[in-house]
Amino acid sequence: MPIDPGLIGPTTMGLTQSISLFQGFLPKFNDIRKENPMTNPDFVSDVRMGELAASLLTIGIGAIMSSLTGSPYPTMIAFISAVGLILLYESALRANATVE
């Protein structure tokens, strides 16, 4: 199935915006690594709220791009990138979760 060249730009924009939104709403991985989620549940809440906000905006941008292009690909790529980034941040939170 050939890809329409007109979809590459909007789909790439959705992907790059997801990365930018997650970087803007969430702390750096270094900061996540330094925190212990077992002793600081507020930090975990802040990370999860950032994940929610970044995901909603990412999928929203993908939906806008899909409505402009008439193709579902920008939304699908935005959704996949949001899920991937959530998994990445959740694995960083869990990597340092030690019971004291």
Side-chain angles (χ1 to χ4, degrees):
M1 175 169 109
I3 300 287
D4 179 14
L7 291 176
I8 294 172
T11 303
T12 302
M13 182 184 150
L15 178 64
T16 57
Q17 281 298 317
S18 68
I19 295 167
S20 297
L21 287 167
F22 272 80
Q23 285 178 339
F25 278 105
L26 290 142
K28 295 179 182 179
F29 281 108
N30 191 28
D31 296 336
I32 293 174
R33 187 181 56 81
K34 290 178 183 176
E35 282 291 329
N36 185 348
M38 302 303 279
T39 59
N40 193 354
D42 289 337
F43 180 76
V44 175
S45 291
D46 291 343
V47 169
R48 294 211 170 119
M49 286 299 290
E51 289 172 349
L52 177 65
S55 297
L56 290 175
L57 286 171
T58 295
I59 294 168
I61 289 170
I64 291 168
M65 292 296 109
S66 285
S67 71
L68 291 173
T69 62
S71 170
Y73 291 121
T75 301
M76 291 185 336
I77 295 300
F79 179 78
I80 291 168
S81 64
V83 168
L85 288 166
I86 287 172
L87 291 173
L88 190 64
Y89 276 94
E90 285 296 317
S91 68
L93 275 175
R94 285 178 172 74
N96 206 23
T98 56
V99 178
E100 295 190 14

